[in-house]
Amino acid sequence: MKKAISILSCIMSLIMTAQTHDLLKHNGEKLTINLIKQENNLVYFSIPNSYEVEKLSKYAVASLTKKSTNEITLVSNKITFTDKNSYKQVVFLDQSQTIGLQKGENISSFFGVAKGQSDYDLTKMKKRRLQEKAARNASPFVVILSERPDETKAVLYNY
């Protein structure tokens, strides 16, 4: 029985080391992790010698390097703003997808509703205005907190 348990523990330790990765974040931080999965714009992992599952936004992660083969997997590109049209790169996230990103300032967009204007066009214009404000503040991510017909409130996130 003791041999079976020791063999099983050796196999489990080999499996755990086989999935060890180096995680590089966009802010330059480097972590050694055991990758579990990538799903719903989140990276699920555990710290070596720990069974607690942690998660991180895929937008905060630049790359994963598999330690056993040195294979590098690009997770997300860093968003940089270069010109006036860079606002199109701003990404709208859910609150649950911001783990590992730094919270910035709150912004809002006031919009007067014109008679006969469709809700789709109004929503599109509000989101564009939020994207433009985020780009001016060099924040690549926006989370909408509340949306009313005349005002939209959001918070900016950065690396």
Side-chain angles (χ1 to χ4, degrees), residues 15-22 32-35 48 65-68:
I15 290 171
M16 292 301 279
T17 58
Q19 59 182 333
T20 303
H21 290 72
D22 283 330
T32 299
I33 64 164
N34 291 328
L35 180 66
T65 305
K66 192 171 187 176
K67 281 194 166 191
S68 60

Side-chain angles (χ1 to χ4, degrees), residues 17-62:
T17 58
Q19 59 182 333
T20 303
H21 290 72
D22 283 330
L23 180 139
L24 179 64
K25 294 171 68 174
H26 285 294
N27 65 4
E29 187 179 345
K30 190 175 185 180
L31 301 170
T32 299
I33 64 164
N34 291 328
L35 180 66
I36 298 172
K37 64 180 176 179
Q38 294 182 50
E39 187 175 83
N40 299 328
N41 292 332
L42 294 172
V43 176
Y44 294 86
F45 63 93
S46 66
I47 303 298
N49 301 325
S50 172
Y51 294 107
E52 186 176 335
V53 176
E54 298 184 35
K55 52 189 170 181
L56 192 61
S57 173
K58 86 168 197 174
Y59 296 106
V61 179

